[in-house]
Amino acid sequence: MDKLFSIKMRASAAGKHVSGAEKIVPESALPACSDALLKRALLHAKGKPDFVNVKCEEVAPEEILRLKSLPVSTLPAASPEEGLASMETLLRDLGVPDPHAVVRVLLEFCQGMRGAILLDVDSMERLEPDQARGVRATRMDDAQSAAKPFSTLKNHYAEAIVLATKVAHAPRILGEICISDDPDYATGYVASKRFGYVRIERLKPMGSPLGGRVFLYRGPKELVSETVEFLEKRHVLVEDVPELRRPLVRKSKWSRIESTLAELKEKNLHRSEIVLESAQSAHVVHQGRSLLMLASNDYLDLANEPCVRRAAADAALAFGSGSGGSRLTTGTLTLHRDLERLLADFKGADDAIVFDTGYMANVGTVSAVVGPDDVVFSDELNHASIIDGCRLSKAKIVVYRHNDMDDLERKIRENPCGSGLVVSDAVFSMDGDVVDLPRLVETANRHGLLSMIDEAHASGVLGAAGRGVVEHFGETCRPDILMGTLSKAFGSSGGFVCGSDPLVDFLRNKARSYIFSTSLSPADLAAAAAAVRFVMEHPERVRSLQRAVRVFCDALRVNGIDARSETPIIPIHVGDEARAVRISQRLFDQGILINAIRYPTVAKGSARLRAALMATHVDDDLRDAARAVADALSEIP
Ligand SMILES: *Cc1c(COP(=O)(O)O)cnc(C)c1O
């Protein structure tokens, strides 16, 4: 039989406890378990630890006491008063002479203690040897969790039952009372061999940090040390811990909506929209005021280009305002096929398929080309629409470090699969950097995986003729699936995928976002086609954009801001969410529209200004804006 090991993790920061856990696992599960505990320590919501101790010790099977889990039941309570009254009733039934006084001890004396109070229920004397720390019940685990692989997530509910089961079986312990000291929970329990684990729904007001636990002792004082020894030292495995479901608590139907909004506002993460009264262009109008637009994805200013607008208007007059159906029913017009042929030509592919949005192109494509048996290797900074497509596919998702092809290689080796996909943005939407396409394609091909690149910010942007990432790398390599959007540099709406004939045929039959949505309107299609044609005929517009990038980055550097980018997306690091918002607000007041990008779009604490340039920005405007950004950064705390 596999040897058993006790494994304990403790994590602290600046000497203060952050998290802790312990398990009893077979030797074979030890590496995975220590890995999971370490991850749990490092990712703890209470903060990053600077000290983590993971200790593994073999335990002899005969040293392990196996106990059957206490049965679990729940007592509803409409208010903390009602919950506390139930707790006292249970204590009285256990033979505790003064239940009210016992509950008062918990509420008044447990603050800040890591362990529990050990209380003589007859004399009301505290018996724990170290009253500041309390008595800690340790060295126990759920027997099932020891046998199966387990996650980094802590299951508080199961852990509470395991602990309560051990405590209830300690010599001379009548039972235990506990109230969660987490401000986000109002629950607690009374546990005893007699009644089992009785969870009480409400014992304190939400938001209160009050809480703690009291072990109820009845017996001679001389034997206390034996009880403490059992609680702290004896190894216990608890069997048949009941199904770890959160008991249902009925909430107001609006509670999720209201509490989410309140939380977003409190954390400076609530968003509102700026309403514009003009076409998208280098300058826009808001509340009658002109603003320099440094936040648009309309990089080539084609949404406002006369021939593009004219094409949209003409198509609306000739074909009507809506397409009237999904592509596979009645919604395919000559305009759809014309646009698809044009895109295939522009990208040098066999064929193309147009979706209603870039979001739908990603969701539909990824979820169609991989399934539950496959693995998707996805860059950690990929766009949300790729992530959603991965989730919808039910494939295993393996995230590799941003644009790190060595990590991609390692992750592919660690996750062998029959078939799979490597997927990445071409130009990362929040950082503006460019994927290492040659290595990505080479790696995917060598491992027999499909490769997919999202060119939302690359089409019309990268390459001398704006044809995208393949042109950028000198046509030396080509991914299997090239996705793009018509909503950014092409100034219209819609998404597309270019690739081989079988790929496109497959997507027309299998991509659900293509099949089950009404196709693009004539005006959108004609505008997109006119824009693609415009780019093919006017490569100088792409070069103007690339020039604007150089002018703006140079001006930022002259003003002491380290900025460099090969693309029109120029991130300017701020860090703190609230400060990023204040800076963007100041620039807005000065007539410059530049977005503050915050969590969850980027990681917490890495808020930034995201400047997005257009081909029609003039040098003087860019230099003035760079100076204003630098002033705001140095003046706003
Ligand atoms: C904007 C964007 C999309 C979605 O395109 P829409 O046409 O706006 O739906 C997809 N991927 C990336 C990288 C994007 O930036």
Side-chain angles (χ1 to χ4, degrees):
M1 206 188 95
D2 222 357
K3 287 179 179 169
L4 286 175
F5 277 80
S6 140
I7 173 165
K8 279 189 165 189
M9 178 276 286
R10 295 273 171 266
S12 57
K16 281 185 70 181
H17 176 81
V18 174
S19 66
E22 55 180 273
K23 313 246 56 165
I24 297 171
V25 296
E27 186 177 358
S28 56
L30 205 49
C33 181
S34 72
D35 190 49
L37 285 180
L38 199 54
K39 282 193 186 124
R40 189 198 283 184
L42 293 174
L43 300 174
H44 203 276
K46 276 195 208 156
K48 276 240 170 273
D50 53 24
F51 179 82
V52 182
N53 188 351
V54 178
K55 187 165 108 182
C56 312
E57 280 175 290
E58 189 183 341
V59 264
E62 64 275 13
E63 276 178 39
I64 297 179
L65 179 63
R66 289 181 177 262
L67 296 173
K68 217 171 144 45
S69 169
L70 295 177
V72 175
S73 56
T74 297
L75 278 183
S79 65
E81 294 71 36
E82 201 179 310
L84 290 171
S86 299
M87 184 174 257
E88 290 180 18
T89 304
L90 283 164
L91 288 176
R92 181 160 301 111
D93 293 348
L94 280 175
V96 171
D98 189 348
H100 187 69
V102 169
V103 174
R104 298 293 349 145
V105 167
L106 187 154
L107 292 174
E108 281 169 26
F109 298 108
C110 282
Q111 288 327 289
M113 284 175 67
R114 294 261 290 114
I117 287 175
L118 184 61
L119 187 72
D120 186 319
V121 291
D122 298 307
S123 69
M124 292 301 288
E125 197 180 338
R126 287 177 62 174
L127 303 172
E128 65 277 15
D130 176 346
Q131 293 210 345
R133 179 172 168 278
V135 176
R136 307 237 317 125
T138 60
R139 302 186 198 224
M140 68 232 153
D141 200 0
D142 171 357
Q144 276 115 357
S145 104
K148 60 181 184 226
F150 85 131
S151 79
T152 48
L153 283 178
K154 196 173 164 109
N155 185 332
H156 294 275
Y157 185 49
E159 288 182 12
I161 294 168
V162 167
L163 182 138
T165 301
K166 178 176 181 185
V167 172
H169 287 81
R172 289 168 297 282
I173 291 289
L174 272 188
E176 172 196 357
I177 56 172
C178 174
I179 299 178
S180 170
D181 60 4
D182 187 329
D184 293 336
Y185 290 89
T187 59
Y189 61 83
V190 177
S192 62
K193 276 198 276 199
R194 175 113 166 260
F195 301 121
Y197 179 100
V198 184
R199 185 175 177 281
I200 301 174
E201 270 183 357
R202 198 158 293 136
L203 285 160
K204 64 173 190 184
M206 272 312 243
S208 161
L210 274 186
R213 57 177 91 238
V214 177
F215 300 156
L216 311 171
Y217 183 87
R218 170 167 280 161
K221 260 172 93 168
E222 310 82 77
L223 294 179
V224 165
S225 60
E226 195 190 290
T227 300
V228 172
E229 170 88 12
F230 178 95
L231 291 167
E232 296 193 333
K233 300 281 162 60
R234 185 83 166 131
H235 285 106
V236 168
L237 273 181
V238 178
E239 287 169 345
D240 303 325
V241 177
E243 204 23 43
L244 314 170
R245 254 180 294 125
R246 281 211 170 283
L248 278 182
V249 181
R250 178 161 310 278
K251 297 183 190 159
S252 131
K253 62 184 176 182
W254 296 104
S255 75
R256 180 188 172 86
I257 290 166
E258 286 164 355
S259 66
T260 304
L261 283 173
E263 191 184 329
L264 287 173
K265 286 176 184 162
E266 188 190 318
K267 294 184 178 161
N268 276 310
L269 296 174
H270 185 255
R271 296 157 184 231
S272 54
E273 295 166 1
I274 300 167
V275 181
L276 301 181
E277 297 136 22
S278 65
Q280 191 85 176
S281 196
H283 294 268
V284 293
V285 180
H286 168 69
Q287 295 182 346
R289 200 160 64 98
S290 172
L291 296 172
L292 175 66
M293 172 57 100
L294 280 181
S296 176
N297 295 324
D298 183 18
Y299 302 117
L300 298 175
D301 205 356
L302 292 182
N304 197 35
E305 183 63 34
C307 72
V308 175
R309 299 165 63 153
R310 166 63 52 202
D314 288 349
L317 290 176
F319 288 88
S321 54
S323 70
S326 74
R327 288 291 298 273
L328 298 183
T329 57
T330 55
T332 295
L333 299 166
T334 50
L335 294 172
H336 288 94
R337 282 306 290 150
D338 291 348
L339 177 60
E340 286 170 344
R341 289 211 195 84
L342 186 64
L343 286 166
D345 185 27
F346 182 65
K347 292 284 181 183
D350 284 358
D351 201 357
I353 168 173
V354 168
F355 293 76
D356 290 0
T357 66
Y359 180 92
M360 289 166 72
N362 273 334
V363 166
T365 302
V366 176
S367 63
V369 298
V370 286
D373 298 331
D374 303 324
V375 180
V376 184
F377 300 92
S378 174
D379 187 289
E380 65 181 332
L381 296 189
N382 275 347
H383 190 261
S385 53
I386 296 178
I387 297 169
D388 292 357
C390 292
R391 290 181 182 160
L392 202 57
S393 76
K394 299 204 173 77
K396 177 173 171 187
I397 304 165
V398 175
V399 174
Y400 62 89
R401 279 208 295 271
H402 174 51
N403 214 0
D404 181 339
M405 295 302 130
D406 292 328
D407 193 46
L408 171 61
E409 176 80 37
R410 197 161 36 238
K411 295 273 160 68
I412 294 175
R413 286 179 193 282
E414 284 169 8
N415 295 277
C417 56
S419 56
L421 172 73
V422 180
V423 59
S424 174
D425 283 12
V427 171
F428 289 87
S429 47
M430 294 303 134
D431 292 53
D433 53 338
V434 180
V435 66
D436 183 351
L437 184 72
R439 279 198 67 197
L440 184 144
V441 169
E442 186 276 325
T443 307
N445 283 342
R446 189 158 33 78
H447 290 281
L449 302 169
L450 284 171
S451 53
M452 171 167 172
I453 298 291
D454 173 341
E455 292 207 282
H457 300 280
S459 295
V461 170
L462 287 183
R467 287 172 198 260
V469 69
V470 172
E471 185 190 8
H472 178 82
F473 284 102
E475 313 274 344
T476 51
C477 53
R478 173 170 281 277
D480 300 310
I481 305 171
L482 259 183
M483 172 272 169
T485 175
L486 300 163
S487 60
K488 289 173 183 166
F490 296 126
S492 172
S493 261
F496 63 90
V497 169
C498 291
S500 65
D501 285 324
L503 172 78
V504 170
D505 192 19
F506 168 81
L507 291 176
R508 286 192 207 283
N509 285 279
K510 281 291 173 192
R512 294 171 63 85
S513 63
Y514 177 82
I515 301 169
F516 295 106
S517 193
T518 298
S519 69
L520 281 175
S521 72
D524 290 324
L525 294 162
V532 175
R533 251 182 242 113
F534 184 96
V535 174
M536 291 166 97
E537 287 159 14
H538 299 276
E540 73 278 4
R541 183 64 72 94
V542 178
R543 288 198 289 279
S544 300
L545 176 65
Q546 292 162 351
R547 179 190 142 76
V549 173
R550 284 193 300 277
V551 169
F552 189 61
C553 285
D554 286 348
L556 284 171
R557 281 200 299 275
V558 165
N559 285 284
I561 298 170
D562 180 36
R564 52 200 79 230
S565 183
E566 292 183 276
T567 69
I569 298 167
I570 297 151
I572 300 162
H573 181 77
V574 178
D576 180 64
E577 277 79 24
R579 179 166 176 249
V581 174
R582 286 197 297 275
I583 291 175
S584 141
Q585 184 60 46
R586 143 90 80 103
L587 292 167
F588 184 78
D589 295 342
Q590 295 174 343
I592 301 171
L593 184 47
I594 181 164
N595 281 329
I597 307 288
R598 291 164 279 166
Y599 177 84
T601 309
V602 295
K604 271 198 184 124
S606 79
R608 66 198 62 177
L609 301 176
R610 174 186 182 274
L613 300 192
M614 294 169 85
T616 49
H617 280 137
V618 296
D619 294 3
D620 282 348
D621 280 348
L622 293 175
R623 294 199 184 99
D624 290 348
R627 203 168 314 116
V629 168
D631 290 347
L633 271 171
S634 66
E635 286 161 23
I636 293 183

